[in-house]
Amino acid sequence: MEKTNDVLIVAIINKGNLDLVMQSAKLAGAKGGTVLNANGTASKKIKNQFGLPILPEKDLILILCNRKDRDAIFSNIYKALGIETSEGTGVIFALPVEKISKKL
């Protein structure tokens, strides 16, 4: 294993926004991503706390990228989903990747 300059961008989005997210990410330099089908389990209390509808069917998108590309990819996804508005359609965050066994 080797130390990396890589970052994992994770986007949890409502079903139906996958193409929008991946097009935005690729425009900013992402080479691709891995998509997992998911179901949200938030309680009514949590749903009301965020003030927007939380739909149970989700796509979880994992994008492994170099640290230098992180901000551009993150920003493009953020803007495409409208997360800064009250009508946002997902959550996005980035995690450092300390080690990786093999790049694909």
Side-chain angles (χ1 to χ4, degrees), residues 5-19:
N5 286 320
D6 294 324
V7 173
L8 180 67
I9 296 175
V10 179
I12 304 169
I13 62 170
N14 292 337
K15 270 273 193 244
N17 292 314
L18 174 61
D19 290 338

Side-chain angles (χ1 to χ4, degrees), residues 9 28 69-79 92-94:
I9 296 175
D69 298 323
R70 176 197 59 204
D71 291 344
I73 295 169
F74 191 99
S75 179
N76 268 21
I77 294 171
Y78 185 89
K79 289 176 186 171
I92 181 171
F93 55 93

Side-chain angles (χ1 to χ4, degrees), residues 10 22 31 45 52 57 66 68 79 84 87 95 97:
V10 179
M22 288 312 303
K31 307 287 188 272
K45 182 179 179 182
L52 50 107
E57 294 174 348
N66 191 283
K68 68 179 176 55
K79 289 176 186 171
E84 74 277 3
E87 294 156 13
L95 302 169
V97 175

Side-chain angles (χ1 to χ4, degrees), residues 16-95:
N17 292 314
L18 174 61
D19 290 338
L20 174 68
V21 168
M22 288 312 303
Q23 287 172 357
S24 303
K26 286 180 178 180
L27 283 173
K31 307 287 188 272
T34 299
V35 180
L36 305 170
N37 295 317
N39 288 305
T41 60
S43 68
K44 287 185 179 184
K45 182 179 179 182
I46 297 294
K47 290 178 185 181
N48 293 334
Q49 179 181 356
F50 290 106
L52 50 107
I54 298 179
L55 304 175
E57 294 174 348
K58 308 282 183 201
D59 283 322
L60 189 135
I61 303 170
L62 306 172
I63 300 172
L64 185 63
C65 66
N66 191 283
R67 187 175 308 278
K68 68 179 176 55
D69 298 323
R70 176 197 59 204
D71 291 344
I73 295 169
F74 191 99
S75 179
N76 268 21
I77 294 171
Y78 185 89
K79 289 176 186 171
L81 288 174
I83 291 175
E84 74 277 3
T85 69
S86 62
E87 294 156 13
T89 57
V91 174
I92 181 171
F93 55 93
L95 302 169

